Amino acid sequence: VDPDTFLNGVKFTFVGLISLVDPPRPGVAEAITNCRAAGIKVAMVTGDHPLTAEAIARKIGIIIQPTSHELAELTGTDPTKHWRAPECAAVVVTGAEAENFTTSDWDIIVRKKEIVFARTSPQMKLKFVENLRRLGEIVAVTGDGVNDSPALKAAHIGIAM
């Protein structure tokens, strides 16, 4: 099929536009606040787009501070290594970026106070858990599907929903 002529002569009529909103469940922000008060670091690992993930993380209190992307722009840090921005405490990292992480990169990331992984595969979620454990962290993971099984099993505490 020739893409240049495939739709020749076909007329389309705009019918409408749909927008979906999937807000955080009630009580999530309070739970994050309580975890922080108890000294528990909460990170988010999601398949969502990075901008969506950051917006949700900000809404529920996982991210409060400026992110590494924001600081990299201000300081002139290499955007491909934005998580190395000086004084950076909050990161939003994609699975594609994390695929190329060295051990040194993982060491930097898992020590951040506010962490969001977006567009992440189940394998990347597992790698995140493994690196947290390697650095001596006690790790609890929640998951809602079969794809989360490896990370749930690798964590000290696995919570299947």
Side-chain angles (χ1 to χ4, degrees), residues 30-91:
E30 182 182 1
I32 301 295
T33 299
N34 291 339
C35 285
R36 283 180 177 260
I40 299 169
K41 178 168 67 174
V42 179
M44 184 168 86
V45 182
T46 180
D48 287 340
H49 186 277
L51 294 175
T52 304
E54 182 179 343
I56 292 168
R58 286 194 182 283
K59 187 170 190 170
I60 62 176
I62 290 176
I63 291 183
I64 298 167
Q65 301 181 46
T67 65
S68 55
H69 289 285
E70 295 166 316
L71 293 172
E73 275 186 37
L74 293 173
T75 63
T77 301
D78 178 358
T80 64
K81 298 281 186 182
H82 58 89
W83 58 88
R84 293 184 180 266
E87 305 302 318
C88 167
V91 292

Side-chain angles (χ1 to χ4, degrees), residues 103-144:
T103 301
S104 173
D105 292 330
W106 279 108
D107 290 353
I108 291 168
I109 291 292
V110 299
R111 289 189 173 110
K112 300 294 183 187
K113 292 181 180 177
E114 302 170 359
I115 305 169
V116 172
F117 276 93
R119 289 281 192 241
T120 309
S121 68
Q123 295 81 9
M124 198 53 56
K125 190 172 189 177
L126 173 61
K127 205 158 186 148
F128 182 45
V129 170
E130 290 170 342
N131 278 285
L132 285 165
R133 289 194 63 155
R134 179 179 57 80
L135 292 173
E137 299 287 342
I138 304 298
V139 182
V141 172
T142 61
D144 62 0

